[in-house]
Structures are given as structure tokens and as C-alpha cells.
Amino acid sequence: MSLNLPSRRLTRSVVTLSTSQTILSHFNPHLASTYPSYHPHRTIFNFFRRSKQPPPLDPLAADFLKGKKTALKPPPDVQRGDLAPSSIFESSDPSKPPTTTTTSPSISTPAKIQRDPQLMAAALDPQPQVRKRWERKMVIRSIRSRNRLSKTQKILRTERSSLSKSHMFKTSVKKLGPLARQIAGKPIEDAIVQMRFSLKKVARDVLKHLEYARDEAIVRRGMGLGKVEVGAENDEGEGKLESTREPVVEKAVVVIDKKGKRRLVKDKTQIYVDQAWVGRGKYGQEPDHRARGQINMMRPPYTSISVLLKEEATRIRLADQREQKRQRRKVWVPLPDRPVTAQRQFCLW
């Protein structure tokens, strides 16, 4: 049961007044003429609330916005390309017609861009005088050498080499130096085995770098691929290249390296570590927590290792050069047989 209080009776009367449609029925014509947004079903609480309809625009503003409206832009032209005349993917069969691209009439071909050589020279040839001096120097050098290759150029054209530098290892030069001297002069596979069974902590990082340097030399320089033989011609008249792992020389060759150690070479394309050296890097910072809240800053060193990989053909050439130099050397004698000069027949005192 609900209590019949005066406050409850007052609330009922207010709700009835707000929801009644007959209270303002005789004021409808007057309100509709005074307030254009008046609706007869609106109550007294939402009578003075703003309508959601936007206010009418000013005629000048409407004309201004009407001029701003633009038509929809057409889609951009699609440029259809084709293979170049010298492309290897063009049809080599003369019976087949050449492929041509068909463009629809709606698609327009862009005009060819006219490039100004004077404007491009600022980036392509910023210092023309320096370029001319360099060209003159190269022409003079070629005339003096009569277009003959130097000894260094011949070696670079006939022998392969690969230089690989590692990232910084968290170790010192004093610890990494002995490992670099240990692998120098050894074949790459032997050097990897040495680092694999080494007890040094940094040997694991050196092992990973040697494997990376070996793979890089094989892929980028073509080292260690064995003998390349040209097979019989096929039906199209092209020679077939076959790579085998057979030794290039007929028999094994015993060479003496620069350290005086004898080595047996069975394959001229085998990779070996010609040089290995270390490089000092920047020092880091690490906290060293001590007693009573004290902290010391340590400076751990960082070091890198670089390896120069070459093929056994280079070792054979260097061994032959050392042997020829030794044979050309004259025999030392204590009293050489030569005529006596600058002597007088009498004493000077």
C-alpha cells in the first residue's frame, strides 16, 4: 500500500499537466503562428528545447557555397608498360609477332620529359675541371704503360679474395689476439674445428664469424667451388658448364707457407685464412655494486676480428716466388775475389 501524502498528490498533478494534450489545445493556432517549430504533441518540459533542424542559411552564403561545389574528378590515367626491345623475356621465335600494348582511347600517353643537361650537370658533374684533370691523368697513364696490366692488376683479375670484419665482441685485444694468431694460415675448415673445440669463451663468437665469412666468400666471390669444366655442346649450340669438386691439379702439391710449415694442397680452389687481425673498439660502462651502497663504474673493452680469405692458388704462387727469390740469391763468401783499387805504392805518412 502506498501512503496518500500531499507531496505525492502534487507530483501526480504535475505529471498529468505535462502529459495532457488538452491543456494547450486551444493555444495551438497561436503557438503555431508565433513559433514555426512548434509541434502539438510536444510537452511543457520540451517546449523550450532547441530543435534539431539547422537554421536557414543566408541567401548570400548559399550562393557562395553553391559556387564552391566542384564536379567529381575523373580517375587518374593508368600507364601500361611493356618489355624493353632488348629484354631477354621477349619472344625469340621470329614466327610469332612482337608483343604490342593496346591502349584504350580514353587513356592518354604522357608526354616525354625534356631534361635540361645544364640543370642535371649540377648533380652529375659538380666539378668539371677536376673530372677533366682526372681523365687526362688516366690517359697519360695508359699511354705510358702501353695498355699493359700491372702485376697487382693481374693478380686481382686471376685470384680471388674476401675480407670480412666482425662486429664488436665483449672481450679485450689481449684475449682475442691469440685466437687470431691461431687460425692465421690454416684452411677455413681447420680453423672452424680449432674454434669449435677451444676452451676460450670468445671462441664461440669467432666460430660464428668464420662460418659467416666462409659462406660470404662462396656466395659473393665464387671461392671454393672446385674445378669448372666446359662440357659438350648441347642441341642449341651452347656450352654446358659443370662444377665439380675434383682437384684442379693432377697430383697433390707440397708448399711451404710464409711461416715455414709444409702443407699439402689437393685443390687450388680451397679456401684458407691468409691473415687475421684484431681491432680495438670503444669501452662500455657497467655498474659494479659494492658494499654499503657504493657503485663502481667498470669499463669493459670491445674488440673485433677481421679475416682475409684466399684460395690455395695464391699460397702456391707465393711459395714459388719465395723459392725463386732464394735461388737468385748469391752465395755469401768471406773474401770475395775482386780487384784491389784505390791503393798507392808508397805510404802516406
Side-chain angles (χ1 to χ4, degrees):
M1 297 177 63
S2 61
L3 297 177
N4 192 7
L5 298 178
S7 59
R8 288 179 175 269
R9 292 196 298 270
L10 180 60
T11 305
R12 292 173 185 173
S13 61
V14 170
V15 171
T16 305
L17 179 63
S18 62
T19 58
S20 175
Q21 298 295 332
T22 61
I23 299 299
L24 302 177
S25 60
H26 58 282
F27 294 103
N28 286 344
H30 176 70
L31 293 174
S33 61
T34 307
Y35 304 98
S37 61
Y38 169 75
H39 195 273
H41 296 286
R42 296 180 63 178
T43 61
I44 192 174
F45 291 104
N46 59 6
F47 179 76
F48 298 99
R49 189 177 300 172
R50 288 185 179 180
S51 62
K52 296 183 179 180
Q53 299 178 357
L57 293 176
D58 188 16
L60 298 177
D63 295 341
F64 176 75
L65 294 177
K66 189 180 298 183
K68 288 291 184 179
K69 294 182 180 180
T70 57
L72 295 177
K73 296 183 179 180
D77 297 339
V78 180
Q79 300 180 3
R80 301 182 182 276
D82 192 7
L83 296 175
S86 60
S87 177
I88 62 175
F89 297 103
E90 284 284 344
S91 177
S92 59
D93 191 357
S95 62
K96 296 182 180 179
T99 58
T100 58
T101 56
T102 59
T103 57
S104 59
S106 60
I107 299 176
S108 60
T109 305
K112 187 177 181 180
I113 301 175
Q114 299 294 336
R115 302 181 183 273
D116 190 358
Q118 296 181 357
L119 297 178
M120 298 173 61
L124 300 178
D125 192 11
Q127 297 178 345
Q129 299 298 331
V130 177
R131 176 184 55 80
K132 291 179 182 179
R133 288 200 302 266
W134 181 82
E135 291 177 352
R136 179 176 180 272
K137 180 181 177 181
M138 293 295 105
V139 171
I140 294 174
R141 179 181 297 180
S142 62
I143 292 175
R144 286 179 177 176
S145 62
R146 290 178 287 180
N147 294 329
R148 293 178 299 179
L149 298 177
S150 63
K151 183 179 179 181
T152 304
Q153 293 175 346
K154 290 181 181 179
I155 292 174
L156 293 176
R157 289 193 177 190
T158 56
E159 299 177 2
R160 299 183 177 93
S161 62
S162 176
L163 176 61
S164 178
K165 180 181 178 181
S166 69
H167 62 277
M168 293 296 173
F169 302 146
K170 190 177 179 181
T171 184
S172 62
V173 176
K174 191 174 182 180
K175 296 177 181 178
L176 192 58
L179 295 181
R181 290 188 290 269
Q182 181 180 355
I183 64 177
K186 289 184 172 60
I188 187 66
E189 302 299 336
D190 295 352
I192 291 176
V193 172
Q194 291 289 331
M195 294 297 101
R196 179 182 176 185
F197 294 99
S198 178
L199 301 179
K200 304 294 183 181
K201 179 180 178 181
V202 74
R204 292 176 292 180
D205 298 331
V206 179
L207 171 62
K208 294 179 181 179
H209 179 63
L210 287 178
E211 293 177 349
Y212 169 77
R214 177 195 60 188
D215 299 342
E216 183 182 18
I218 294 174
V219 174
R220 301 186 63 179
R221 302 295 181 181
M223 302 169 59
L225 297 180
K227 182 181 178 181
V228 179
E229 297 179 352
V230 180
E233 294 184 356
N234 51 18
D235 298 338
E236 299 179 359
E238 298 179 357
K240 183 180 179 182
L241 297 179
E242 297 180 356
S243 177
T244 59
R245 195 58 186 172
E246 300 176 358
V248 179
V249 293
E250 291 79 4
K251 58 181 180 179
V253 180
V254 179
V255 297
I256 301 176
D257 58 5
K258 54 186 176 182
K259 294 183 179 180
K261 185 176 180 180
R262 295 179 178 270
R263 297 187 179 276
L264 183 65
V265 178
K266 298 182 179 179
D267 187 2
K268 283 186 177 181
T269 62
Q270 186 180 1
I271 305 175
Y272 77 99
V273 182
D274 184 60
Q275 299 179 28
W277 63 90
V278 298
R280 190 187 303 275
K282 296 183 179 180
Y283 288 89
Q285 287 187 355
E286 288 187 359
D288 182 19
H289 299 273
R290 308 298 296 178
R292 299 184 180 182
Q294 295 183 1
I295 299 178
N296 300 334
M297 296 304 297
M298 299 187 299
R299 299 175 67 247
Y302 287 85
T303 314
S304 66
I305 183 171
S306 303
V307 291
L308 179 62
L309 304 182
K310 293 186 178 181
E311 293 182 339
E312 291 291 347
T314 304
R315 202 204 294 264
I316 295 174
R317 178 183 59 82
L318 294 176
D320 295 341
Q321 290 181 358
R322 285 192 295 268
E323 182 64 21
Q324 293 175 7
K325 183 178 179 180
R326 188 184 65 83
Q327 293 178 1
R328 288 194 304 265
R329 188 172 53 188
K330 296 181 180 180
V331 181
W332 180 85
V333 291
L335 296 175
D337 186 7
R338 61 173 178 265
V340 178
T341 59
Q343 298 291 335
R344 292 182 175 87
Q345 59 183 354
F346 53 87
C347 299
L348 298 178
W349 60 79

